[in-house]
């Protein structure tokens, strides 16, 4: 079991936004893998898809109003920026990279001992 003192609604929003993003970018027949591990006082949530990956820098992905060319007409560009803010409120960090075998990987790192910031 993995335990963390956190705001469940905020973490639920993080997970929903990351899964929604993965669903939008994973073609029919593709896969989304979710894993949750705990080691050395940290929790690591990883979401990997088998979509095309991303062309922007990982830093740019988390900026407000950034959307990929494929979703420009339907997305607001707020989902990943919200993920970044909510994870930071929990004292953690989120990162993204393209997997060598294809697809995008998003990782959320949270310290088990961190307290949730109010806001």
């Amino acid at each position: 079991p993995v335990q963390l003192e956190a705001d469940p609604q905020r973490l639920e929003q993080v997970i929903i936004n990351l899964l929604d993003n993965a669903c939008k970018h994973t073609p029919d027949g593709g896969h989304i893998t979710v894993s949750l591990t705990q080691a050395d006082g940290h929790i690591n949530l990883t979401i990997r898809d088998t979509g095309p990956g991303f062309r922007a820098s990982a830093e740019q992905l988390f900026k407000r109003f950034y959307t990929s060319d494929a979703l420009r007409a339907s997305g607001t560009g707020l989902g990943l920026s919200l993920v970044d803010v909510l994870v930071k409120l929990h004292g953690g960090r989120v990162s993204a990279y393209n997997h060598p075998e294809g697809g995008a990987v998003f990782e959320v790192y949270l310290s088990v001992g961190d307290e949730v910031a109010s806001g």
Side-chain angles (χ1 to χ4, degrees), residues 3-43:
Q3 294 185 356
L4 174 71
E5 185 173 328
D7 182 325
Q9 290 175 324
R10 288 179 177 171
L11 287 185
E12 179 181 11
Q13 190 64 49
V14 166
I15 294 167
I16 288 170
N17 284 356
L18 290 173
L19 287 174
D20 181 60
N21 191 62
C23 288
K24 287 177 181 175
H25 292 283
T26 302
D28 290 343
H31 295 84
I32 298 169
T33 305
V34 179
S35 66
L36 183 66
T37 58
Q38 180 177 351
D40 301 324
H42 291 86
I43 290 174

Side-chain angles (χ1 to χ4, degrees), residues 45-62:
L45 169 68
T46 303
I47 298 177
R48 177 182 174 207
D49 65 51
T50 56
F54 50 87
R55 287 186 274 165
S57 69
E59 216 174 75
Q60 189 174 5
L61 290 175
F62 297 105

